[in-house]
Amino acid sequence: MGTTAELFEEPFVADEYIERLAWRTPGGGSRGGSEAFDPKRLLDQFVNHIEELKMMDERIQRKVEKLENQCQKEGKEFARKVQELQKSNQVAFQHFQELDEHISYVATKVCHLGDQLEGVNTPRQRAVEAQKLMKYFNEFLDGELKSDVFTNHEKIKEAADIIQKLHLIAQELPFDRFAEVKSKIASKYHDLEHQLIQEFTSAQRRGEISRMREVAAVLLHFKGYSHCVDVYINQCQEGAYGRHDIFEDSALLCQRVNREVGDIFSSPEIVLAKLIQNVFEVKLQTFVKDQLEEYRKSDAEQYLKNLYELYTRTTSLSSKLMEFNLGTDKQTFLSKLIKSIFISYLENYIDMETAYLKSRSSTILQRYYDSKNHQKRPIGGGGIQDLKERIRQRTNLSLGPSIDTHGETFLSQEVVVNLLQETKHAFERCHKLSDPSDLPKNAFRIFLILVDYLCIEHIDYALEIGLVAIPSPDSKNASLYFFDVVHQANTIFHLFDKQFNDHLMPLISSSPKLSECLQKKKEIIEQMEVKLDTGIDRTINCMVGQMKQILTAEQKKTDFKPEDENNVFIQYTNACSKVCLYVRKQVEKIRNSMDGKNVDTVLMELGVRFHRLIYEHLQQFSYSSMGGMLAICDVAEYRKCAKEFKIPLVLQLFDTLHSLCNLLVVAPDNLKQVCSGEQLASLDKSIQHSFVQLRADYRSARLARHFS
């Protein structure tokens, strides 16, 4: 049975239990064990073990029944004890109820007795107090103060209480009969008040917060309590401004006073508010006046900088003070204090801001033009010369020589950055110093000044000069720099647009001024675009004129009709080489000067005019067989140059021109076939015919017959 108990080790698993039992039985293991497997022996062992288990189960069952019976007996005994305890608890609870009723009865009697005693004692105390006051009043009548309370300085608190009551009583007495005693009481009243204030002052200098609190509590009922607060405020500020930074010193002062004022006065928020009012109206107002009045009439720039910094630091100080308890509406209280300091400076702020910005912008521009030794031309003045220049900039008519600016664009990013920087500072000051209701209107005034000096006086003026300086198409060796003007004008306007979005928009985004600003900006853009388009168009005309001059000077009639057809070795003509070199330089210049879709637009226009020039140029010559081959080589080189435009239309035009040039060399029998080919089929017959007529052998009856 002991072996069986060992087999029941936790955790119990039936399969493992059977395996362990079989393993323990001799001959019951695997066939590979030390003994041979004996099934009969194993069966007998299982049968015996089952009998043992049955006997074990019976013993355990008897033990369980015994324990259950014992548990039932103990449960009944516990229930009986709980019932007895409940009965005892009910008896105790009844006793507690009786005791509580008795205590309530006694308490009621005591309260009634206390009310009766108070009813008797209160009149008695009043009578005693009245008797004491009459005694003290008699001393004032007699003119000699004998009581210890008036002669002992340590009892100043009791004396103050008595004299305060006597002072109130004296106010009710008729003046004619009690004038002398009223005067003595008033004198003593003021004397004690003065002593208390001195005591408070001394305690404050010694740093005795508890004594200050006691004296302040006594003075609270005196008329001089406000003077006590004033003394406290004045002494708090002694030595508080030693850092040479009045705003930092003021913040530290208020923080220090805020920590201690609640331990001294019964209404600390009133005292702290009065201190802050004193700091603003005395210290800060004097400091602001000294800082601003010195520059108000002599140095507008420094005045505006000081005003902005002082106002910013004052509002920052106000924000720090918002965390203190200053009463119900501390926001309004602090706003009024700030307004009282700066109202005289903010009323005409925007007038001074705009006047300074105009003066400063004018100085920046004039300094730049002086550095270039340039006297600004009166653009749009209405004179004959102005009329000529305006006609020239809109047409190709030659009305006299154009001005020579020696390649100067009269645009400066340094000037622009300075103008934008000044305007940025103006916007920042405007945002901080303007009344919220006036902010959009003031910002719009600053924006108009920026438009006037940057867009009109600088960019627009440079465009006008650039237009006047563009030479006529027939000028020789003309210097074309208008694309430099375009490039710089675009760059500058991007800077202008960025400031518009970053600094102006936040100030006007929720006001009607937004539409006015956007409209003004649109007008400026359209005005500049017209002049840019005009200048680019006239510059392209000049480029084409330069190409035409190269072709006229370099292209010879013998290029396409050589005397010796068998000794021609050049790949393309010298005129073609120089024109392509010139065109490539212009294409590179355009790419460097323009951005976005503008590059493709300008290159397309130049490419179309370039094609027209070459087309008309080829129409001027008569071509032999070898000359036609040279023309095809020239056009192939032109087409290679056109590829650099990266404009499909331009390349297509030169492809077609190249196909037309094939008509100059194709055999007469194949002429019709070539004309009906893919490249030329869509062209008008007259265009095809015009090229065929350029052939030197066109007059032959055979060629005319084949073409017809």
Side-chain angles (χ1 to χ4, degrees):
M1 204 59 208
T3 302
T4 304
E6 291 178 1
L7 295 174
F8 281 101
E9 293 179 356
E10 293 291 340
F12 178 77
V13 180
D15 292 343
E16 294 182 2
Y17 176 78
I18 297 299
E19 289 292 334
R20 288 197 299 271
L21 181 61
W23 179 77
R24 287 171 177 267
T25 303
S30 62
R31 295 181 183 274
S34 59
E35 297 184 14
F37 178 70
D38 188 352
K40 186 174 183 308
R41 191 173 182 180
L42 182 61
L43 176 61
D44 293 340
Q45 184 66 22
F46 279 163
V47 171
N48 293 334
H49 195 74
I50 290 172
E51 291 299 327
E52 289 181 4
L53 290 175
K54 287 181 179 180
M55 293 173 63
M56 184 185 294
D57 181 64
E58 290 176 358
R59 286 196 298 271
I60 293 174
Q61 189 63 35
R62 287 194 297 271
K63 188 175 181 180
V64 168
E65 290 176 355
K66 182 179 179 181
L67 291 173
E68 287 179 348
N69 292 333
Q70 184 179 355
C71 184
Q72 288 178 356
K73 289 180 181 179
E74 291 180 356
K76 291 179 180 179
E77 181 65 21
F78 181 76
R80 183 184 64 77
K81 289 182 179 180
V82 169
Q83 288 178 352
E84 291 177 358
L85 289 173
Q86 285 180 342
K87 291 179 181 178
S88 300
N89 185 56
Q90 288 178 352
V91 173
F93 182 72
Q94 290 176 356
H95 288 306
F96 276 119
Q97 281 186 328
E98 293 174 359
L99 181 61
D100 184 60
E101 291 175 357
H102 187 66
I103 290 173
S104 298
Y105 175 76
V106 173
T108 303
K109 290 292 186 181
V110 171
C111 290
H112 179 66
L113 180 61
D115 291 340
Q116 290 179 332
L117 290 174
E118 185 179 2
V120 173
N121 187 56
T122 300
R124 180 179 174 277
Q125 286 182 341
R126 290 176 179 172
V128 171
E129 186 175 350
Q131 184 182 15
K132 288 182 180 180
L133 290 175
M134 291 173 64
K135 174 186 173 184
Y136 295 135
F137 187 79
N138 285 333
E139 291 185 13
F140 280 99
L141 282 174
D142 296 339
E144 185 178 359
L145 300 179
K146 300 178 181 180
S147 299
D148 183 56
V149 70
F150 292 122
T151 57
N152 189 350
H153 182 72
E154 294 182 357
K155 294 185 178 182
I156 189 172
K157 182 177 179 181
E158 292 84 348
D161 181 60
I162 293 170
I163 200 66
Q164 196 266 339
K165 292 177 181 178
L166 289 176
H167 186 264
L168 292 175
I169 294 172
Q171 302 298 318
E172 305 296 328
L173 298 176
F175 183 79
D176 53 351
R177 295 178 54 190
F178 298 97
E180 184 178 355
V181 69
K182 289 177 71 173
S183 174
K184 291 178 180 180
I185 291 174
S187 176
K188 188 64 176 176
Y189 178 90
H190 293 300
D191 182 52
L192 282 174
E193 185 180 68
H194 180 67
Q195 291 181 38
L196 287 170
I197 292 175
Q198 286 185 331
E199 180 65 22
F200 182 88
T201 303
S202 300
Q204 184 177 2
R205 288 175 177 168
R206 295 191 301 269
E208 297 177 357
I209 300 297
S210 59
R211 182 58 179 165
M212 292 169 65
R213 180 172 59 251
E214 292 176 4
V215 177
V218 175
L219 278 169
L220 182 62
H221 304 289
F222 280 77
K223 294 180 180 179
Y225 178 73
S226 61
H227 185 58
C228 171
V229 174
D230 293 338
V231 168
Y232 172 76
I233 290 173
N234 291 333
Q235 288 201 164
C236 283
Q237 297 181 71
E238 291 180 359
Y241 300 97
R243 299 172 179 265
H244 304 292
D245 187 339
I246 191 171
F247 296 98
E248 186 66 26
D249 289 340
S250 298
L252 294 175
L253 169 64
C254 294
Q255 289 173 0
R256 175 170 60 82
V257 171
N258 181 63
R259 288 193 296 268
E260 70 179 24
V261 71
D263 297 331
I264 300 173
F265 298 98
S266 59
S267 300
E269 68 279 0
I270 297 177
V271 178
L272 184 58
K274 194 168 185 179
L275 169 67
I276 292 173
Q277 183 176 358
N278 182 270
V279 169
F280 273 73
E281 293 181 350
V282 178
K283 292 291 183 181
L284 292 183
Q285 189 162 18
T286 302
F287 180 76
V288 169
K289 184 177 180 181
D290 292 342
Q291 292 291 311
L292 294 181
E293 292 298 333
E294 179 181 357
Y295 301 103
R296 192 167 192 172
K297 295 181 179 180
S298 60
D299 190 342
E301 179 182 12
Q302 192 61 44
Y303 170 81
L304 290 170
K305 287 181 179 179
N306 287 356
L307 177 60
Y308 174 75
E309 181 181 3
L310 291 170
Y311 189 84
T312 301
R313 299 201 66 186
T314 304
T315 53
S316 177
L317 174 62
S318 174
S319 300
K320 293 179 182 178
L321 301 180
M322 282 290 291
E323 65 186 44
F324 302 145
N325 180 18
L326 304 177
T328 54
D329 195 357
K330 52 188 175 182
Q331 177 69 48
T332 303
F333 170 70
L334 292 171
S335 298
K336 287 182 178 179
L337 291 178
I338 295 174
K339 186 176 181 180
S340 67
I341 295 176
F342 291 96
I343 186 170
S344 61
Y345 305 106
L346 298 182
E347 285 178 343
N348 62 344
Y349 150 73
I350 193 60
D351 294 331
M352 183 165 287
E353 182 73 77
T354 52
Y356 166 72
L357 186 59
K358 288 179 181 178
S359 173
R360 179 62 179 161
S361 300
S362 178
T363 301
I364 291 172
L365 289 178
Q366 190 58 47
R367 190 175 298 162
Y368 168 71
Y369 294 123
D370 289 344
S371 70
K372 300 294 181 181
N373 294 321
H374 174 74
Q375 182 68 35
K376 289 192 73 174
R377 297 165 57 86
I379 301 299
I384 298 299
Q385 184 61 31
D386 295 329
L387 178 61
K388 288 182 179 181
E389 291 173 356
R390 290 187 174 276
I391 293 174
R392 288 182 67 258
Q393 72 182 23
R394 289 170 174 80
T395 67
N396 292 327
L397 298 178
S398 178
L399 299 178
S402 61
I403 65 172
D404 186 3
T405 60
H406 303 287
E408 177 60 56
T409 63
F410 292 105
L411 287 172
S412 168
Q413 287 198 24
E414 181 181 357
V415 169
V416 173
V417 169
N418 289 337
L419 291 174
L420 293 176
Q421 190 70 13
E422 293 292 340
T423 311
K424 175 186 174 183
H425 293 327
F427 280 133
E428 290 173 348
R429 290 191 291 264
C430 176
H431 188 196
K432 178 66 70 172
L433 301 176
S434 295
D435 187 87
S437 60
D438 296 332
L439 177 58
K441 177 179 62 177
N442 293 346
F444 182 65
R445 290 179 62 179
I446 294 173
F447 172 67
L448 290 181
I449 295 173
L450 177 64
V451 169
D452 189 24
Y453 284 91
L454 175 62
C455 298
I456 298 176
E457 293 294 329
H458 193 55
I459 303 178
D460 191 69
Y461 176 76
L463 293 179
E464 291 278 2
I465 293 295
L467 287 173
V468 174
I470 296 175
S472 61
D474 55 357
S475 299
K476 294 183 179 180
N477 300 321
S479 175
L480 302 178
Y481 78 100
F482 190 79
F483 280 115
D484 295 335
V485 177
V486 173
H487 175 64
Q488 293 187 30
N490 283 335
T491 302
I492 292 171
F493 197 81
H494 286 319
L495 296 175
F496 167 78
D497 191 55
K498 186 177 187 304
Q499 184 169 90
F500 182 91
N501 294 323
D502 293 347
H503 296 96
L504 177 61
M505 285 293 289
L507 308 184
I508 61 171
S509 57
S510 58
S511 74
K513 287 294 180 183
L514 174 61
S515 59
E516 291 187 47
C517 289
L518 292 174
Q519 180 62 31
K520 186 67 176 177
K521 179 183 173 185
K522 181 182 178 183
E523 292 174 0
I524 291 296
I525 292 175
E526 290 176 350
Q527 179 181 339
M528 291 185 180
E529 284 180 345
V530 169
K531 294 181 179 179
L532 289 171
D533 290 344
T534 302
I536 292 172
D537 182 72
R538 295 189 62 239
T539 302
I540 292 175
N541 281 341
C542 287
M543 290 179 179
V544 174
Q546 296 293 302
M547 297 180 216
K548 189 173 182 180
Q549 289 183 35
I550 294 173
L551 291 173
T552 302
E554 300 293 335
Q555 197 84 71
K556 300 179 177 59
K557 291 186 178 181
T558 56
D559 288 343
F560 301 115
K561 205 172 182 181
E563 296 178 358
D564 187 356
E565 294 271 337
N566 298 320
N567 293 322
V568 179
F569 300 104
I570 60 173
Q571 296 179 342
Y572 43 81
T573 64
N574 188 48
C576 172
S577 175
K578 290 189 175 182
V579 167
C580 289
L581 179 62
Y582 179 82
V583 170
R584 287 190 175 96
K585 289 182 179 179
Q586 305 313 311
V587 170
E588 182 181 1
K589 190 168 188 177
I590 291 172
R591 291 195 184 279
N592 293 333
S593 302
M594 313 291 286
D595 56 7
K597 295 182 179 180
N598 293 329
V599 177
D600 292 343
T601 303
V602 175
L603 287 178
M604 179 182 291
E605 185 63 28
L606 176 61
V608 170
R609 298 189 193 185
F610 175 37
H611 168 266
R612 185 184 304 121
L613 173 67
I614 301 302
Y615 178 85
E616 293 175 353
H617 175 69
L618 293 175
Q619 295 277 337
Q620 300 175 11
F621 299 93
S622 176
Y623 300 87
S624 65
S625 176
M626 183 53 68
M629 292 301 296
L630 282 175
I632 291 175
C633 291
D634 276 5
V635 173
E637 187 64 20
Y638 291 138
R639 183 174 62 175
K640 187 186 298 183
C641 182
K643 285 183 179 180
E644 298 181 13
F645 284 65
K646 297 180 181 179
I647 305 296
L649 175 61
V650 176
L651 184 59
Q652 181 183 352
L653 289 173
F654 277 94
D655 285 342
T656 303
L657 182 59
H658 188 269
S659 298
L660 282 171
C661 288
N662 286 332
L663 297 178
L664 301 175
V665 297
V666 69
D669 294 338
N670 297 330
L671 200 56
K672 279 192 175 182
Q673 181 182 354
V674 174
C675 288
S676 59
E678 182 180 353
Q679 290 289 339
L680 301 179
S682 59
L683 289 179
D684 188 85
K685 293 294 183 181
S686 61
I687 296 176
Q688 299 176 7
H689 192 200
S690 65
F691 263 79
V692 174
Q693 288 178 324
L694 300 177
R695 294 170 61 124
D697 58 353
Y698 176 74
R699 296 298 178 182
S700 69
R702 184 183 177 193
L703 180 60
R705 184 179 69 251
H706 279 288
F707 187 76
S708 61

